[in-house]
């Protein structure tokens, strides 16, 4: 699986999602949840914009440097908007989206194979509880890593290079958040799943590249579980030993 394969599976999932009524409904439900929470959290954070700026830097009286204060105000607004978007995404993932994503993955499996993969001796409640717990390391760690890269880009000479690497890292982990659904549902340990990610970085980069397109990324993210499930099923089919004649 290469970079182009990742892009292709993302589009295949989107196409299957919009052609299947149940997947289409769930995809737009996920889109609505993320959009509503983003607006709500953004409004809450930006409402405190003036108070936060006042804590950091009082408006100077000198007209020679007041322009710098206004520039800092705009930069702070952009930073708060970015933080609010990330916070809304994480909140949506942990509270709502993981359930929607897993349901979309199960529906896709049934469409392709006639059944959804899961451990027979584990209840659905335990499976969902495990999935919710996995969302924390699977989302928080990548976000912290991306923020760390951004800080390095601001304060080191490697800024131009890290500015490119940061979004690529985010794209890989956003892709993995979807391709990891079936292994996590089967209760595979986090370390084993993370090791598997390290073997397919180019595929996950390709799968995650559409997530870097402003506005359209919300659409691709909404239907990403479908393409990720198709990828997982194809990989399992290729790895399975040929049946005896």
């Amino acid at each position: 699986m290469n970079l182009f394969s990742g892009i292709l599976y993302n589009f295949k999932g989107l196409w299957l999602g919009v052609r299947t009524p149940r997947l289409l409904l769930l995809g737009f439900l996920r889109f609505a949840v993320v959009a509503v929470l983003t607006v709500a959290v953004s409004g809450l954070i930006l409402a405190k914009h003036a108070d936060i700026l006042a804590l950091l830097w009082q408006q100077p009286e000198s007209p020679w440097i007041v322009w710098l204060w206004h520039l800092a105000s705009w930069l702070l607004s952009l930073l708060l908007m970015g933080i609010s978007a990330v916070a809304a995404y994480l909140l949506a993932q942990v509270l709502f989206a993981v359930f929607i994503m897993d349901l979309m993955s199960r529906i896709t499996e049934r469409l392709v194979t006639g059944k959804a993969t899961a451990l027979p001796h584990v209840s659905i409640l335990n499976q969902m509880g495990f999935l919710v717990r996995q969302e924390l390391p699977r989302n928080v760690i990548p976000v912290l890593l991306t923020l760390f890269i951004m800080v390095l880009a601001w304060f080191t000479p490697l800024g131009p290079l890290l500015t490119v690497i940061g979004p690529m890292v985010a794209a890989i982990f956003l892709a993995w958040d979807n391709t990891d659904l079936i292994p996590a549902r089967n209760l595979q340990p986090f370390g084993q799943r993370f090791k598997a990610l390290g073997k397919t970085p180019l595929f996950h980069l390709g799968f995650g590249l559409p997530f870097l397109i402003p506005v359209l990324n919300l659409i691709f993210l909404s239907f990403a579980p479908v393409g990720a499930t198709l990828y997982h099923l194809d990989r399992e089919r290729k790895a399975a030993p040929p049946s005896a004649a």
Side-chain angles (χ1 to χ4, degrees):
M1 296 290 180
N2 53 30
L3 185 77
F4 179 74
S5 298
I7 299 173
L8 182 61
Y9 271 100
N10 203 322
F11 278 90
K12 286 171 63 176
L14 177 62
W15 179 238
L16 178 61
V18 298
R19 290 189 297 114
T20 307
R22 287 178 297 171
L23 293 175
L24 181 63
L25 176 62
L26 290 170
F28 276 105
L29 178 60
R30 186 185 178 197
F31 172 84
V33 167
V34 175
V36 168
L37 281 176
T38 300
V39 172
V41 175
S42 297
L44 181 62
I45 293 180
L46 291 177
K48 301 295 183 179
H49 167 263
D51 296 333
I52 297 174
L53 182 61
L55 290 174
L56 297 175
W57 188 9
Q58 293 288 343
Q59 181 173 354
E61 297 181 0
S62 171
W64 295 102
I65 59 174
V66 72
W67 66 270
L68 190 59
W69 180 87
H70 285 291
L71 177 61
S73 177
W74 278 104
L75 291 176
L76 179 62
S77 297
L78 292 175
L79 178 62
L80 290 176
M81 289 177 65
I83 292 174
S84 63
V86 171
Y89 177 77
L90 292 177
L91 188 62
Q93 283 295 104
V94 175
L95 296 182
F96 303 102
V98 63
F99 302 103
I100 300 174
M101 291 168 66
D102 185 63
L103 183 55
M104 295 178 74
S105 177
R106 290 173 185 266
I107 292 173
T108 304
E109 280 191 277
R110 292 191 185 100
L111 288 173
V112 176
T113 67
K115 62 179 181 180
T117 304
L119 296 178
H121 60 280
V122 180
S123 67
I124 292 180
L125 185 61
N126 287 335
Q127 292 173 20
M128 296 309 299
F130 185 80
L131 283 175
V132 171
R133 293 194 299 273
Q134 297 309 294
E135 280 300 301
L136 296 176
R138 199 166 56 193
N139 282 281
V140 173
I141 292 176
V143 167
L144 292 178
L145 179 59
T146 303
L147 291 176
F148 176 72
I149 292 175
M150 289 174 58
V151 171
L152 286 180
W154 291 340
F155 297 106
T156 68
L158 298 176
L161 177 62
L162 294 176
T163 300
V164 176
I165 292 177
M168 292 172 62
V169 170
I172 290 173
F173 280 110
L174 284 172
W176 181 54
D177 189 39
N178 293 276
T179 61
D180 190 52
L181 282 171
I182 294 179
R185 187 195 308 153
N186 290 322
L187 308 187
Q188 291 184 15
F190 180 84
Q192 179 181 340
R193 298 181 348 252
F194 190 80
K195 186 177 180 180
L197 169 65
K199 297 178 180 179
T200 55
L202 283 180
F203 171 84
H204 282 84
L205 176 60
F207 194 95
L209 283 179
F211 303 154
L212 302 181
I213 305 173
V215 181
L216 290 179
N217 56 356
L218 292 178
I219 301 296
F220 282 108
L221 279 169
S222 298
F223 294 95
V226 181
T229 302
L230 294 176
Y231 155 72
H232 188 84
L233 294 176
D234 285 347
R235 191 177 64 170
E236 280 193 339
R237 185 161 49 246
K238 292 177 180 178
S243 57

